[in-house]
Amino acid sequence: EKMDSNVLLKVAAHAGFQAQSPLIRSVTNAYEGIIDHSLIENFSEREGGVSAVIDGIIITMGTRELMEECGISVTEEAYDEPAVFMALNGRYAGCILLGDVIREDGRNAVMAVESTSCDCILLSGDGEERTRNAAAAAGIREYHAQCMPLDRLEQIQEIKERFPVHSVLYTGLGTVDSSCLSAADVGVCVNGLESETAFQAGDVVAMDNSMAPLADAIDSGKLTQRIVRQTLLLIAAAKIVLLLLALFGVVYQLWFALLIDVVAGIAGILLSSRVLE
């Protein structure tokens, strides 16, 4: 509102350089210039934003609620996208809109998972428009917007009731989605290296924050399940045949029964080794 957009981003990047909030950090990450640490003084962080003195100017940056708490009037109307508002010396200077960018491997991961005869459903805490755009970019047909953690739990239960004979796999962050990860049949935590909670909340932890191997894991799970069933049927069939032969008096030597039993066991082991391929 009162300065060039490039200057606004530069000042915002300096003010949020030491911030821990992902919202503020994303602004700093968007700045491609060099951060001059000598310009940053009196940095402090609070819920909703940060404040700092940059080159002698007091910078307040954060959510609309933070601006209101500081008595700073924001002229822009509400946005569906997250926005970071900034004030200079207590006067509103402008805002930076943040938007989601689907990772390059995101759509490929969704396509790979759906190729395993699975349905992908997006549960998002964002607004309707942003969720719809993100779902379209990722190639996901079904989505639910404005889902808080409790809403996601309800959606998981509804999905379980809708697909009673199938398993529900949920991917999320171990820090905020721990209850959802536990409620699903399989919980996949995607921030394994960033959160110790991930190792407790998730059944599976993606160490590289990528969902690309998920389709291979689903295929391996289905193959393992199929091989286990085949192995059990083979061993059960061998036992039943031996039992019938013994009932009709065809086989009565113990060594022959043990031989058949050992052969069936070895065959089961060899059949199960297909999982290692």
Side-chain angles (χ1 to χ4, degrees):
E1 187 171 272
K2 299 185 182 300
M3 64 173 63
D4 179 75
S5 59
N6 293 325
V7 177
L8 179 73
L9 179 60
K10 179 179 180 179
V11 175
H14 280 73
F17 178 72
Q18 303 177 38
Q20 299 297 320
S21 167
L23 191 71
I24 305 298
R25 291 290 301 174
S26 62
V27 175
T28 302
N29 295 336
Y31 178 63
E32 298 179 352
I34 299 175
I35 301 294
D36 187 350
H37 301 272
S38 63
L39 299 177
I40 307 173
E41 298 177 335
N42 299 331
F43 172 84
S44 64
E45 185 169 9
R46 55 186 292 188
E47 184 178 358
V50 299
S51 63
V53 176
I54 308 298
D55 198 18
I57 301 175
I58 301 175
I59 306 297
T60 305
M61 186 171 65
T63 62
R64 181 186 294 271
E65 291 75 17
L66 177 63
M67 297 292 110
E68 294 176 353
E69 291 178 9
C70 297
I72 301 170
S73 177
V74 176
T75 58
E76 273 86 355
E77 298 179 356
Y79 294 99
D80 188 22
E81 297 87 355
V84 176
F85 300 90
M86 191 171 74
L88 281 68
N89 290 330
R91 298 185 61 184
Y92 178 64
C95 71
I96 300 173
L97 298 181
L98 307 180
D100 288 324
V101 177
I102 301 299
R103 290 171 43 167
E104 294 182 359
D105 65 339
R107 186 176 180 86
N108 293 333
V110 171
M111 294 175 59
V113 169
E114 290 188 339
S115 68
T116 63
S117 301
C118 295
D119 293 328
C120 291
I121 302 173
L122 176 62
L123 306 180
S124 174
D126 295 327
E128 179 72 22
E129 183 179 355
R130 294 187 69 237
T131 303
R132 180 173 62 252
N133 294 337
I140 299 176
R141 292 181 292 274
E142 181 179 347
Y143 63 89
H144 300 273
Q146 298 179 334
C147 290
M148 295 297 103
L150 290 178
D151 299 325
R152 296 176 191 177
L153 281 174
E154 294 178 359
Q155 288 291 343
I156 291 175
Q157 295 301 327
E158 190 274 333
I159 293 171
K160 282 186 173 182
E161 295 174 0
R162 201 196 321 172
F163 304 100
V165 297
H166 297 283
S167 298
V168 175
L169 184 150
Y170 182 88
T171 63
L173 304 177
T175 52
V176 295
D177 288 339
S178 58
S179 57
C180 296
L181 292 168
S182 301
D185 298 306
V186 180
V188 180
C189 188
V190 296
N191 62 334
L193 293 178
E194 302 174 12
S195 171
E196 295 182 0
T197 311
F199 294 94
Q200 301 175 354
D203 302 305
V204 180
V205 177
M207 303 301 293
D208 58 353
N209 290 1
S210 173
M211 287 292 93
L214 191 56
D216 293 336
I218 294 174
D219 283 333
S220 298
K222 290 183 176 181
L223 175 62
T224 301
Q225 192 177 51
R226 185 165 58 250
I227 290 176
V228 168
R229 289 172 178 166
Q230 293 173 354
T231 303
L232 291 176
L233 288 175
L234 174 65
I235 296 176
K239 301 289 187 181
I240 293 174
V241 169
L242 284 175
L243 181 60
L244 292 175
L245 292 176
L247 288 175
F248 291 102
V250 178
V251 176
Y252 53 89
Q253 290 88 354
L254 182 60
W255 66 266
F256 185 77
L258 289 174
L259 177 63
I260 299 298
D261 191 48
V262 170
V263 170
I266 295 175
I269 294 173
L270 294 176
L271 188 62
S272 300
S273 64
R274 293 166 51 198
V275 177
L276 302 177
E277 297 178 1

